Amino acid sequence: DVKVTQSSRYLVKRTGEKVFLECVQDMDHENMFWYRQDPGLGLRLIYFSYDVKMKEKGDIPEGYSVSREKKERFSLILESASTNQTSMYLCASGGVWGNTGEAFFGQGTRLTVV
Amino acid sequence: AQSVTQLGSHVSVSEGALVLLRCNYSSSVPPYLFWYVQYPNQGLQLLLKYTSAATLVKGINGFEAEFKKSETSFHLTKPSAHMSDAAEYFCASPLNFGNEKLTFGTGTRLTIIP
């Protein structure tokens, strides 16, 4: 089975802190994604990476950056956490096209910024 | 702008009753359409997907969906609801060929009444 593992299920951080959310996949997928999930808004794409060191902005990249130094690992960085970044963050790997045919999701990290 | 729309943020059905969750896409025919399910405190799991091979798509756990071009719809159904179906359901699409980024609907929370 494909496994997408997010390093933390729950995080509480203070306003202004630099926050790292880590995601690892074990299926050698080229594509990896970070989504943010909020009630009534569904999932919104923050960043997308299609290869090591390659990234594209999604719909809501402001206040976030990403790092992909190795194929299996995709990190989301909140440079200076703010309360409006309190949310559920979901990592995914795979993709719609080619052999993968779908996006596989991690369990999510619920981040609270106080 | 192209989009995916889910009608009804909350749906309640009695155990054993028909489940109908609605999804409409914008007028340009999307290449693929997906239904994902999210159980409490979990990531998203693929239920089924439409890839233009057949308009009626069967998925896991007894769910199915029918692609109707004339109605721009891809509604999810299950003949008889089970308590274990209580979850949040998301419709999604890449909207364009070759696009790896999924656009999600806002989600429908399904409650099953015993």
Side-chain angles (χ1 to χ4, degrees), chain A residues 9-10 31 33 35 37 40-43 45 48 56-57 88 90 94-97 101-108, chain B residues 31-32 34 36 38 40-46 49 88 90 94 96-107:
Chain A
R9 293 294 302 273
Y10 301 93
N31 300 321
F33 311 81
Y35 288 90
Q37 182 182 6
L41 297 177
L43 277 73
L45 183 65
F48 159 53
E56 273 188 26
K57 292 181 180 179
M88 170 73 94
L90 290 164
V96 176
W97 311 100
E102 64 176 275
F104 297 87
F105 284 82
Q107 299 276 70
Chain B
Y32 287 1
F34 296 80
Y36 278 88
Q38 184 180 36
N41 299 315
Q42 300 287 323
L44 273 68
Q45 177 184 358
L46 182 67
K49 76 176 182 183
E88 189 153 23
F90 293 93
N96 295 300
F97 282 100
N99 183 9
E100 286 291 359
K101 294 176 271 189
L102 285 172
T103 295
F104 284 83
T106 52

Side-chain angles (χ1 to χ4, degrees), chain A residues 38-107:
Chain A
D38 297 290
L41 297 177
L43 277 73
R44 294 177 292 168
L45 183 65
I46 305 172
Y47 267 98
F48 159 53
S49 170
Y50 50 92
D51 203 348
V52 174
K53 298 189 186 295
M54 307 304 288
K55 63 185 180 185
E56 273 188 26
K57 292 181 180 179
D59 300 319
I60 51 166
E62 297 79 16
Y64 303 94
S65 62
V66 290
S67 172
R68 192 153 179 217
E69 297 296 320
K70 293 184 178 181
K71 192 173 187 179
E72 68 271 18
R73 187 180 297 271
F74 191 33
S75 302
L76 179 69
I77 304 157
L78 286 66
E79 297 290 346
S80 178
S82 64
T83 54
N84 63 13
Q85 293 178 309
T86 291
S87 187
M88 170 73 94
Y89 291 88
L90 290 164
C91 175
S93 76
V96 176
W97 311 100
N99 296 331
T100 311
E102 64 176 275
F104 297 87
F105 284 82
Q107 299 276 70

